[in-house]
Amino acid sequence: MALHFHKIAFTDAVKALQEAHGSRNSYERMEKLNEVDGLTHNEMAFIANRDSFYMASIGTNNYPYIQHRGGPKGFLKVLDKDRIACIDFSGNKQYITVGNLVDNANVSLILMDYPAKARLKIYAKTEIVALKDNPEFYTTLDLGDYKFRGERIMVFHIEAYDWNCPQHITARFTADEIQIALQPQQAYINKLEEKNKLLAAKLKEAGF
């Protein structure tokens, strides 16, 4: 499967705006570059390290719906160079995304790495797999002791993907990432505190 994001994203209206604003020539040159056949190791590693993504679907009323999907890091799994999948966990039971997919399987995904200011955009067709129909498949996606109940499996057949530039992405960090980053400082503080305790003990022995 050849992946070329621009063939899907650049409609005639989009190209007309690019022409009007002076960016059409550069994007036209990009469109002529060699296409990539499926996910590379770079995208696979990026996807495997995500703990959330955003998914846009289209309802029969032609309105888009964007939903945040989250879970433990690695809940979105790479099946092969053309497919990624995750367990769809129970939520507020609105079923807007799943309902939209009944009539239109096309979705757009955005995967963010805020600390690295990186963003991966994916066009895909969604396949819904019932848990009872493929228990072995569910086992390969299972997250062990994750407390939420799975309702179905979503398989995303990738049509195209592209990386965004980091411009306008604000770097954000989770509590765990901050804690890891501060570990050297905390170790240094602990060492200083231990030295202070030893110094205070020596001064006490000396009568100060």
Side-chain angles (χ1 to χ4, degrees), residues 27-38:
Y27 282 123
E28 191 170 24
R29 287 194 296 270
M30 290 175 60
E31 292 171 23
K32 295 176 181 178
L33 297 176
N34 293 331
E35 298 181 358
V36 180
D37 186 17

Side-chain angles (χ1 to χ4, degrees), residues 47-48 74-79 83-86 140-143:
I47 293 168
F75 82 104
L76 182 62
K77 298 185 182 297
V78 177
L79 303 180
R83 299 180 303 154
I84 56 179
C86 67
T140 65
L141 301 174
D142 190 20
L143 301 172

Side-chain angles (χ1 to χ4, degrees), residues 17-171:
L17 284 170
Q18 291 172 354
E19 188 71 40
H21 293 279
S23 62
R24 182 64 203 142
N25 288 341
S26 60
Y27 282 123
E28 191 170 24
R29 287 194 296 270
M30 290 175 60
E31 292 171 23
K32 295 176 181 178
L33 297 176
N34 293 331
E35 298 181 358
V36 180
D37 186 17
L39 298 172
T40 69
H41 176 75
N42 187 36
E43 287 80 34
M44 290 181 181
F46 183 85
I47 293 168
N49 280 295
R50 304 280 59 79
D51 60 5
S52 68
F53 64 93
Y54 302 94
M55 175 166 59
S57 58
I58 299 292
T60 54
N61 55 8
N62 290 325
Y63 276 94
Y65 179 71
I66 300 176
Q67 186 173 48
H68 172 271
R69 297 276 170 158
K73 184 175 290 188
F75 82 104
L76 182 62
K77 298 185 182 297
V78 177
L79 303 180
D80 52 46
K81 67 182 181 63
D82 298 324
R83 299 180 303 154
I84 56 179
C86 67
I87 298 171
D88 188 30
F89 298 104
S90 59
N92 56 14
K93 297 189 182 297
Q94 288 186 339
Y95 300 114
I96 299 174
T97 297
V98 178
N100 288 347
L101 295 174
V102 170
D103 294 292
N104 189 340
N106 294 342
V107 295
S108 179
L109 311 179
I110 290 183
L111 283 63
M112 300 293 304
D113 182 343
Y114 286 105
K117 299 176 70 173
R119 175 172 49 195
L120 179 64
K121 305 178 296 187
I122 297 175
Y123 281 130
K125 292 186 179 297
T126 310
E127 174 190 0
I128 300 296
V129 178
L131 301 185
K132 62 181 179 62
D133 294 340
N134 203 328
E136 292 183 0
F137 187 23
Y138 177 80
T139 300
T140 65
L141 301 174
D142 190 20
L143 301 172
D145 58 356
Y146 193 56
K147 65 179 181 179
F148 295 96
R149 181 177 63 86
E151 289 192 337
R152 64 192 61 78
I153 297 170
M154 286 186 172
V155 181
F156 302 105
H157 298 263
I158 298 172
E159 296 287 311
Y161 66 85
D162 192 22
W163 291 91
N164 267 131
C165 71
Q167 189 177 16
H168 306 305
I169 299 176
T170 301

